[in-house]
Amino acid sequence: MATIELNADREEDPRVKAVFDEIRQMRGTDYINNLWRYLAFDADLLENVWRDVRDLMATETLIDFKTKEMVYLAVSIANACQYCVHSHTAAAKARGMSDAEHAELLRIVMTAGRTNHLLNGMQVPVDAVFDTDQAAG
């Protein structure tokens, strides 16, 4: 159950409408997914989150779009965000992620989680060659 009430009239706010119109234009669809529809309860929050997502995930940067979606998916799995796991799996597949790449990504997430838990449990000191403060000295 959502903690924010969904209000279908949010686009009466010109700031919300402007963000929704930009999302529609950039994605080439009239569909506005729930993340944006629920964030629209606060125009400032909606604008800020959309700006950050747009500038990194929907704009050409140093990392290609498929890789960005796969990284986002891996972080979403690690953070147990069901919504993001579903949306970024779909986005990564739309950007060309194959079933084999998806399986490999899941194996990487599994392996990283396992070793992260082990290292956290053992509190192994960081090697000097990995610590930029120590390596520089």
Side-chain angles (χ1 to χ4, degrees):
M1 175 186 289
T3 61
I4 302 295
E5 185 177 324
L6 181 61
N7 179 343
D9 298 328
R10 299 273 193 226
E11 284 193 76
E12 291 176 2
D13 180 328
R15 292 169 63 197
V16 170
K17 181 164 179 16
V19 171
F20 283 11
D21 285 347
E22 186 174 10
I23 291 169
R24 289 180 181 109
Q25 184 272 322
M26 288 189 81
R27 294 183 173 171
T29 180
D30 284 335
Y31 182 73
I32 301 294
N33 61 308
N34 281 339
L35 168 64
W36 308 114
R37 293 175 353 119
Y38 277 84
L39 279 175
F41 85 98
D42 184 278
D44 285 332
L45 185 60
L46 173 68
E47 287 172 338
N48 287 326
V49 174
W50 168 245
R51 181 196 62 239
D52 291 347
V53 169
R54 177 198 64 211
D55 292 352
L56 187 61
M57 298 301 292
T59 303
E60 193 169 320
T61 64
L62 298 174
I63 299 174
D64 67 89
F65 290 112
K66 181 176 82 171
T67 302
K68 287 194 267 190
E69 291 297 344
M70 292 174 74
V71 170
Y72 209 120
L73 172 56
V75 172
S76 299
I77 292 167
N79 286 328
C81 180
Q82 180 182 6
Y83 187 95
C84 290
V85 167
H86 283 273
S87 66
H88 291 281
T89 298
K93 287 182 177 183
R95 297 284 191 178
M97 179 180 71
S98 67
D99 287 344
E101 288 172 316
H102 190 192
E104 184 172 336
L105 175 70
L106 292 173
R107 286 192 297 276
I108 292 167
V109 170
M110 176 191 68
T111 302
R114 177 186 289 158
T115 57
N116 289 174
H117 289 300
L118 288 169
L119 288 163
N120 261 342
M122 295 184 293
Q123 291 296 294
V124 174
V126 176
D127 298 79
V129 296
F130 300 144
D131 188 333
T132 56
D133 290 335
Q134 290 183 41

